[in-house]
Amino acid sequence: MVKTNRGDPFIPGSSLKGVVRSTIEALLRAAEISSLRACNPLDEGTSCGAHKDRAAPLGDHCAVCRLFGSHLVAS
């Protein structure tokens, strides 16, 4: 557990970001909304990482990667 210098419990923002991102990815995949898709980072063929091109148009990346960022797209 992470604590502040006063001994209070502390939750890092990156931990919250990860939980929110994975929840949104799961909801979008379940909803199957074509305009708001979420890639599967574990599937090389359908993930935004499959582009391997930083110059790819922003519209080629999923909504989650555009919002939270990835190794190819800044958030």
Side-chain angles (χ1 to χ4, degrees):
M1 177 189 300
V2 180
K3 294 187 177 189
T4 64
N5 57 357
R6 295 185 322 191
D8 298 328
F10 176 75
I11 300 174
S14 58
S15 296
L16 293 176
K17 177 184 173 185
V19 170
V20 171
R21 180 183 180 132
S22 65
T23 301
I24 290 174
E25 285 176 341
L27 290 172
L28 288 178
R29 278 193 217 104
E32 296 180 357
I33 302 170
S34 62
S35 62
L36 293 174
R37 67 180 182 85
C39 69
N40 184 354
L42 300 176
D43 183 10
E44 290 294 324
T46 62
S47 72
C48 289
H51 298 300
K52 298 195 185 339
D53 182 14
R54 292 183 189 269
L58 190 59
D60 287 353
H61 300 280
C62 74
V64 176
C65 288
R66 288 191 309 248
L67 178 63
F68 289 99
S70 72
H71 66 283
L72 296 174
V73 180
S75 60

